[in-house]
Amino acid sequence: MEPALQIGAEEIKTSDEYLEVSVETPVISGMNNTAAQLKINEHFKQVVQEQREELLTMAVENKRSAEEMDYPFHQYQLYARTGPYFENGKILSFYVDYYNYSGGAHGMTDRRTYNYDVVSGQALSLKDVFISGYDYKSRIDTAISGEISQNPDDFFAGEFGFKGIDLDHKYYLQNDALVLCFNQYEIAPYAAGIQEFRIPLQDFSKGLNPDLKLIN
């Protein structure tokens, strides 16, 4: 029996006068393509390492300036958590929330989505979910605009409002839905948080890539 594909986590926790780190780095196991699996897992380690180094450099400089200018320094923070994942033998889909605090009134959360062909290990963009030539953008734009219109006061308007998705907009999959994500400040105020729009896969039934077997 082939091993079941799943996502675990490697926990990293450190804290010093400059930076607190509390991350759960995704660890994928069970892929037949072990080379691709290793490459993907190394990518997640690298993302955390790069963010950690960047924040630490900023924190050291900020603390030095705070001491020279006699203002309080607040420890920087880096957190990461992995959301639930979808896997059907063809595609693996999930997101990771990266939160960092680097001074100021509040930190920021960056939701990054990841979608992989479980056979090749290749990343799958939004267009890969659909057959060639299918106008998925118009359907998604209409669905999102309709949902925003139900609660317009919760979103930015005019030049800062929703104008349509990018062709490679970030997404992840649930059992029966395509979920489009917008980070803080993209289309709504910070207090509104990360915005997600869940569209039933059945709405795209004629345009879905049959190789991914997303609906029966």
Side-chain angles (χ1 to χ4, degrees):
M1 180 180 294
E2 295 182 353
L5 194 156
Q6 58 186 341
I7 300 179
E10 179 181 346
E11 189 174 47
I12 302 172
K13 285 192 174 184
T14 64
S15 183
D16 57 28
E17 60 183 315
Y18 302 106
L19 176 65
E20 176 191 4
V21 176
S22 177
V23 302
E24 294 177 358
T25 304
V27 179
I28 297 172
S29 61
M31 287 182 67
N32 289 329
N33 189 333
T34 55
Q37 177 177 285
L38 177 61
K39 183 178 180 180
I40 292 169
N41 287 336
E42 286 299 318
H43 167 76
F44 291 118
K45 292 180 181 180
Q46 183 178 356
V47 169
V48 170
Q49 183 62 26
E50 289 175 352
Q51 292 195 30
R52 187 176 185 175
E53 291 176 356
E54 180 180 359
L55 280 172
L56 181 58
T57 298
M58 293 169 57
V60 169
E61 177 61 25
N62 194 344
K63 189 173 188 299
R64 183 188 63 79
S65 297
E67 291 171 348
E68 291 178 354
M69 303 297 291
D70 194 27
Y71 62 82
F73 168 80
H74 300 287
Q75 183 189 43
Y76 284 23
Q77 297 171 327
L78 171 62
Y79 302 151
R81 297 291 183 270
T82 303
Y85 67 92
F86 168 86
E87 188 272 319
N88 68 349
K90 297 293 183 179
I91 183 172
L92 173 65
S93 180
F94 60 99
Y95 67 83
V96 181
D97 282 343
Y98 296 96
Y99 169 87
N100 69 71
Y101 172 78
S102 55
H106 53 70
M108 292 287 291
T109 299
D110 178 18
R111 175 160 294 176
R112 302 186 186 185
T113 61
Y114 299 94
N115 302 275
Y116 297 104
D117 181 313
V118 301
V119 176
S120 68
Q122 293 296 310
L124 298 173
S125 66
L126 182 58
K127 68 179 177 60
D128 295 321
V129 174
F130 304 98
I131 59 176
S132 177
Y134 182 71
D135 186 13
Y136 62 89
K137 183 182 185 306
S138 293
R139 290 178 178 270
I140 292 172
D141 286 348
T142 298
I144 292 176
S145 295
E147 190 166 336
I148 289 174
S149 69
Q150 296 178 27
N151 297 285
D153 293 341
D154 294 341
F155 298 88
F156 294 140
E159 64 176 309
F160 300 108
F162 175 70
K163 296 184 179 64
I165 64 164
D166 298 325
L167 291 175
D168 59 350
H169 196 91
K170 58 187 173 184
Y171 74 97
Y172 67 92
L173 295 165
Q174 295 180 331
N175 287 333
D176 59 354
L178 174 72
V179 184
L180 288 301
C181 305
F182 294 82
N183 277 333
Q184 295 158 325
Y185 290 124
E186 281 195 82
I187 60 172
Y190 175 86
I194 293 171
Q195 296 297 311
E196 293 192 332
F197 299 88
R198 184 179 181 277
I199 305 174
L201 288 170
Q202 196 63 45
D203 290 1
F204 308 104
S205 59
K206 295 182 179 179
L208 292 173
N209 181 347
D211 293 339
L212 298 180
K213 299 187 183 302
L214 294 174
I215 57 176
N216 296 323

